[in-house]
């Protein structure tokens, strides 16, 4: 294996078909095909639509990545693919294709954890992540705080959402305000003209009595309900909805909780590095508040394109795994829709998983 291996990364856990090539820490190509426009008709991600879209987009996206990188398939040293967590049918498209390629090319394959990949992508931008680090991952499917001692081996969950993910809350509130799916960017834009202090929306799980059990967990469903109630009262009073103000006040509540808990995790663990990832990391207010409140920390946020789901994150983790000499997955890695965050690499069915392991198909 060369010192700076050429790694193919494949991501199909949700609605983005992402295929990328990374050599060492250099991103050579990052091709993404999204089914978000098809999903918008339904106001959310329909798993069956996502799986079919991955199948349809896969070959062309792979061709695009290979051409953009100026390499051939035979140049690839290792294949990395998201094995979980995610939508099982969608994951299976990527995993099956990756296993086919790895067998045909006779190269090692790494089935990797999507969340660890969201963290690892930052090494392509800011260089290797100082470890230990705290990671705040916020997207449509996950909201987690992690302690990362080694992104290839040792990731510990510190907290997660008890109900809606942060991006899901953005999407649901956007829908209530009549804004298109996915709602995050629309709320972000609308909020720019609103007053974040105009409405006092609740900050979930931040009261002193939540401290013992849910110090680093999140909850956004109460916030969503508060928005519903506020809009209902407004409608009953026959008054128009000030969309920018509601968007700004809602966004402020989400951002306040995310930043407070991320800072708390860093302080609790005595860690100076905070890596932020996931689609919500594109939020302009989150970036501004982190700038202001976390200036004592080394805050690493990849550019928005690398925060949302993509193949580069998977290739970035794959290249770190190869560089650190981690053993690849055994054949038959499968898709693990509820892959636990502390399992960075899928073992593979011949790799000694206990019989009947939950979530392995
Ligand atoms: O990471 P991602 O592309 O996919 C997964 O869900 O895994 O994240 C998509 C989520 C959506 O919920 C979307 O509304 C949210 O990220 N999002 C944003 C922004 N851009 C995308 N949320 C808030 N502000 C944004 N600017
Ligand atoms: Zn994601």
């Amino acid at each position: 294996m060369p010192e700076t291996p050429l790694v193919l990364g494949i991501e199909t856990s949700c609605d983005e078909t992402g295929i990328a090539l990374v050599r060492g820490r250099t991103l050579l190509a990052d091709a993404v095909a999204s089914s978000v426009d098809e999903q918008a008709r339904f106001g959310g991600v329909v798993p069956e639509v996502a799986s079919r879209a991955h199948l349809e987009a896969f070959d062309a996206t792979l061709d695009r990545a290979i051409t953009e990188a100026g390499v051939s398939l035979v140049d690839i040293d290792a294949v990395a693919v998201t094995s979980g967590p995610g939508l099982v049918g969608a994951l299976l498209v990527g995993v099956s294709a990756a296993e086919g390629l790895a067998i045909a090319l006779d190269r090692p394959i790494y089935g990797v954890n999507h969340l660890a990949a969201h963290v690892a992508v930052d090494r392509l931008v800011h260089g290797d992540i100082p470890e230990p680090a705290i990671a705040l991952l916020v997207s449509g499917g996950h909201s987690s705080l992690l302690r990362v001692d080694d992104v290839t081996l040792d990731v510990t969950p510190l907290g997660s959402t008890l109900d809606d993910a942060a991006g899901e809350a953005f999407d649901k509130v956007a829908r209530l305000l009549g804004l298109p799916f996915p709602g995050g960017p629309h709320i972000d834009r609308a909020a720019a003209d609103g007053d974040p202090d105009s409405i006092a929306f609740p900050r979930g799980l931040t009261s002193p009595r939540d401290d013992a059990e849910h110090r680093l967990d999140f909850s956004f469903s109460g916030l969503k309900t508060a928005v519903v109630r506020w809009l209902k009262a407004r409608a009953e009073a026959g008054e128009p909805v000030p969309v920018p103000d509601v968007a700004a006040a809602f966004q402020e509540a989400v951002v306040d909780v995310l930043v407070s808990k991320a800072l708390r995790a860093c302080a609790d663990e005595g860690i100076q590095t905070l890596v932020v990832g996931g689609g919500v990391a594109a939020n302009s207010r989150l970036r501004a508040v982190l700038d202001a409140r976390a200036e004592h920390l080394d805050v690493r946020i990849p550019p928005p394109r690398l925060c949302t789901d993509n193949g580069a994150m998977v290739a970035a983790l794959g290249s770190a795994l190869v560089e650190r000499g981690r053993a690849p997955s055994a054949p038959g890695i499968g898709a693990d829709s509820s892959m636990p965050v502390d399992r960075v690499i899928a073992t593979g069915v011949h790799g000694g998983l206990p019989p009947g392991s939950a979530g392995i198909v």
Side-chain angles (χ1 to χ4, degrees):
M1 188 66 71
E3 224 174 272
T4 47
L6 179 65
V7 179
L8 176 72
I10 297 175
E11 154 64 35
T12 64
S13 69
C14 191
D15 57 346
E16 260 95 35
T17 313
I19 304 183
L21 283 145
V22 161
R23 193 187 296 281
R25 283 197 324 242
T26 308
L27 181 59
L28 302 182
D30 181 25
V32 177
S34 176
S35 63
V36 73
D37 293 342
E38 281 168 74
Q39 310 287 359
R41 287 193 290 141
F42 305 101
V45 177
V46 179
E48 202 44 49
V49 173
S51 311
R52 196 158 339 124
H54 287 309
L55 265 180
E56 282 163 10
F58 194 91
D59 286 357
T61 312
L62 177 61
D63 281 350
R64 197 144 53 87
I66 291 284
T67 309
E68 236 176 82
V71 299
S72 312
L73 278 178
V74 290
D75 299 328
I76 291 167
D77 295 307
V79 178
V81 59
T82 303
S83 175
L87 303 170
V88 72
L91 287 165
L92 274 173
V93 177
V95 167
S96 312
E99 290 209 299
L101 283 165
I103 290 167
L105 297 168
D106 192 21
R107 299 291 189 273
I109 182 167
Y110 294 83
V112 303
N113 190 302
H114 181 82
L115 299 186
H118 266 305
V119 181
V121 74
D122 191 68
R123 68 195 296 269
L124 303 179
V125 186
H126 299 112
D128 271 324
I129 299 157
E131 291 163 339
I134 296 294
L136 171 69
L137 297 184
V138 274
S139 77
H142 29 81
S143 303
S144 302
L145 275 166
L146 313 174
R147 179 187 163 105
V148 182
D149 283 283
D150 179 335
V151 74
T152 65
L153 194 67
D154 191 2
V155 178
T156 313
L158 299 175
S160 64
T161 183
L162 305 186
D163 38 60
D164 292 346
E168 199 179 351
F170 270 94
D171 296 339
K172 286 179 176 171
V173 168
R175 194 173 187 167
L176 293 170
L177 294 175
L179 300 171
F181 175 83
H186 296 280
I187 295 219
D188 199 344
R189 270 193 293 276
D193 301 320
D195 175 4
D197 300 321
S198 56
I199 310 161
F201 283 132
R203 271 69 169 154
L205 297 183
T206 53
S207 73
R209 80 190 135 79
D210 294 315
D211 202 44
E213 266 190 70
H214 296 299
R215 187 169 166 74
L216 296 175
D217 289 326
F218 303 104
S219 167
F220 297 109
S221 72
L223 170 59
K224 180 195 62 196
T225 307
V227 175
V228 170
R229 285 217 191 93
W230 194 91
L231 292 174
K232 195 160 168 250
R234 196 83 184 179
E236 281 166 6
E239 289 167 20
V241 173
V243 172
D245 283 345
V246 179
F250 159 78
Q251 177 174 269
E252 199 65 16
V254 176
V255 167
D256 187 17
V257 176
L258 294 177
V259 174
S260 300
K261 299 228 172 187
L263 295 184
R264 186 183 276 180
C266 290
D268 284 1
E269 303 287 320
I271 288 176
Q272 299 298 315
T273 305
L274 174 65
V275 184
V276 187
V280 180
N283 185 267
S284 63
R285 185 68 187 147
L286 177 62
R287 287 170 176 253
V289 173
L290 278 170
D291 266 352
R293 287 176 57 189
E295 85 237 291
H296 57 295
L297 298 174
D298 173 13
V299 181
R300 298 178 169 220
I301 317 181
R305 187 186 156 79
L306 293 180
C307 285
T308 52
D309 290 352
N310 58 74
M313 61 196 240
V314 181
L317 178 53
S319 77
L321 288 164
V322 175
E323 281 170 26
R324 294 191 197 178
R326 305 288 172 232
S329 306
I333 51 180
D336 184 350
S337 60
S338 51
M339 189 169 185
V341 67
D342 54 3
R343 187 183 300 153
V344 176
I345 312 179
T347 339
V349 288
H350 305 304
L353 275 177
S357 289
I360 305 291
V361 293

